[in-house]
Amino acid sequence: MKKFISGLIVGALLFSGVSAFADSSSLIGKKVQGLFSVEKAGVKVADAVVINGTAYAPVRAVAAATGATLSIEGKKIIVGAEVLSNGLYDELIVQRTAIESKINEAKGGVKLYEETYIPKAQDQYDKSIGTTDEAARKQFLDNLKLNLSKQKEDLAALQQQLADLDAQLAALQK
């Protein structure tokens, strides 16, 4: 029974994350009506949110996926013409953008464990279980720490994939 309740608590903690999309002052407080996946050649590039019937996608991810140049001058984002390249280069850019998106998600997961789940686990466990069984509390906390280390391993693997792709892209640009 204790394992069931522990699992229930961990599940509730994992699915209670909140995302906020407030990049523009006119969008602050607006309700996100949907989430679309932006894809190129069947590979996910980024997620776009729908607010008031308009889809908002990350410009850098979309520009990278299309091979366009992107620069920022003050408060202006300037998207340049599409860069002519071969199919392999384009595919690597799409893969790179997808991995960057996964890295950002993994960093968010690590941060959530480090700043929320693990620090608050002891109090949440005591309140919901109503016991002072030290062994059960230690096991619960150890499980959270194990999940955190798995998240960190996944992040490191993604960062290595990104470094490998960057090396391939650099070789193609020569």
Side-chain angles (χ1 to χ4, degrees):
M1 185 65 174
K2 290 181 183 178
K3 289 183 180 180
F4 172 75
I5 294 174
S6 295
L8 188 62
I9 292 169
V10 170
L13 286 171
L14 288 174
F15 292 103
S16 65
V18 176
S19 297
F21 296 95
D23 292 337
S24 172
S25 60
S26 64
L27 298 177
I28 293 176
K30 301 292 183 180
K31 182 179 176 185
V32 175
Q33 299 165 333
L35 183 67
F36 291 147
S37 177
V38 179
E39 295 182 0
K40 179 180 179 186
V43 177
K44 182 178 174 182
V45 173
D47 288 323
V49 295
V50 178
I51 302 173
N52 291 337
T54 302
Y56 294 90
V59 176
R60 187 174 307 279
V62 173
T66 60
T69 60
L70 182 76
S71 62
I72 299 173
E73 295 177 7
K75 290 195 172 196
K76 289 194 303 189
I77 298 174
I78 302 163
V79 180
E82 185 173 339
V83 177
L84 297 175
S85 60
N86 63 30
L88 177 59
Y89 181 84
D90 290 342
E91 182 60 31
L92 291 176
I93 292 292
V94 170
Q95 289 177 14
R96 186 182 192 288
T97 304
I99 289 174
E100 283 178 329
S101 177
K102 289 178 184 178
I103 286 173
N104 287 335
E105 289 174 15
K107 284 180 180 178
V110 167
K111 183 177 178 182
L112 206 52
Y113 270 96
E114 290 177 339
E115 295 179 3
T116 304
Y117 296 160
I118 292 176
K120 293 183 180 181
Q122 197 67 42
D123 292 337
Q124 293 295 334
Y125 184 83
D126 288 344
K127 289 177 186 174
S128 62
I129 303 298
T131 183
T132 57
D133 181 3
E134 288 299 320
R137 278 196 279 188
K138 183 180 181 326
Q139 181 181 6
F140 179 69
L141 192 57
D142 288 346
N143 286 339
L144 286 176
K145 289 178 181 177
L146 183 65
N147 288 341
L148 172 61
S149 76
K150 174 71 172 119
Q151 291 265 340
K152 287 182 177 180
E153 288 173 11
D154 292 347
L155 176 59
L158 288 169
Q159 288 171 330
Q160 182 59 49
Q161 288 178 6
L162 183 62
D164 293 344
L165 279 175
D166 284 342
Q168 290 178 14
L169 285 168
L172 285 175
Q173 290 177 338
K174 290 182 178 179

